[in-house]
């Protein structure tokens, strides 16, 4: 992810996932912060959604 | 029987076009034959047996604003 427009794309799309309460993507850190309800969502679900959007979301975070 | 569908996609840098490239690339051999992306023209053209609507949904997954332009 390389520009502010990608950041907004990811934030907008991930925040629509069920159970996701808060999304903040930091371009400078190449990182995303998420708060979600663990009963309906998971790190893996968010990760695979971002991959599905065509962005790379490596597993290390 | 495939046609070339043209879309206008709001892309601001190679990161954006890279995302479009990945979602379309995954469908290569599964309905998508070939595609080309022009960042300066904000244009994506796809040679495919899929319908324009199906392709629109695929490109929209990237979260980029996408509109259908024409089929050739
Ligand atoms: Cu970008
Ligand atoms: Cu971009």
């Amino acid at each position: 992810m390389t520009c502010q427009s990608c950041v907004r794309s990811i934030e907008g799309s991930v925040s629509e996932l069920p159970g996701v309460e808060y999304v903040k993507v930091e371009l400078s850190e190449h990182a995303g912060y998420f708060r979600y309800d663990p009963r309906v969502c998971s790190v893996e679900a968010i990760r695979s959604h971002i991959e599905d959007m065509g962005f790379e979301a490596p597993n290390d975070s | 029987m495939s046609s070339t569908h043209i879309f206008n996609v709001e892309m601001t840098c190679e990161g954006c076009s890279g995302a479009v490239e990945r979602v379309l690339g995954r469908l290569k051999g599964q309905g998508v034959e070939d595609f080309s992306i022009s960042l300066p023209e904000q244009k994506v053209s796809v040679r495919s047996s899929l319908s324009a609507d199906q392709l629109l949904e695929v490109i929209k997954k990237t979260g980029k604003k996408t509109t259908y332009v024409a089929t050739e």
Side-chain angles (χ1 to χ4, degrees):
Chain A
M1 156 197 90
T2 42
C3 74
Q4 209 50 43
S5 135
C6 298
V7 168
R8 277 194 304 274
S9 303
I10 294 174
E11 285 183 341
S13 183
V14 171
S15 63
E16 280 168 22
L17 289 179
V20 173
E21 289 153 11
Y22 172 83
V23 185
K24 181 88 197 87
V25 174
E26 278 300 337
L27 192 56
S28 56
E29 302 168 35
H30 272 268
Y33 300 92
F34 308 98
R35 188 168 64 231
Y36 57 87
D37 183 341
R39 288 167 300 181
V40 268
C41 194
S42 66
V43 175
E44 193 41 43
I46 294 172
R47 211 186 63 79
S48 73
H49 180 80
I50 295 172
E51 294 271 352
D52 200 43
M53 293 177 66
F55 294 97
E56 279 156 13
N59 237 333
D60 61 359
S61 33
Chain B
M1 34 137 257
S2 60
S3 2
T4 301
H5 303 284
I6 299 165
F7 301 90
N8 187 274
V9 185
E10 260 179 32
M11 300 174 286
T12 43
C13 73
E14 267 110 62
C16 302
S17 58
V20 176
E21 195 165 336
R22 279 187 212 107
V23 292
L24 286 172
R26 281 180 204 143
L27 291 176
K28 263 210 168 161
Q30 295 169 61
V32 171
E33 280 160 45
D34 205 7
F35 60 89
S36 66
I37 301 172
S38 167
L39 189 55
E41 291 175 272
Q42 306 274 288
K43 231 182 190 183
V44 176
S45 61
V46 190
R47 195 154 53 84
S48 172
S49 57
L50 300 175
S51 71
D53 278 349
Q54 286 172 309
L55 292 168
L56 190 66
E57 285 314 305
V58 170
I59 300 171
K60 273 188 171 167
K61 271 194 201 170
T62 59
K64 303 290 170 198
K65 203 169 163 234
T66 307
T67 48
Y68 168 74
V69 178
T71 297
E72 285 174 352

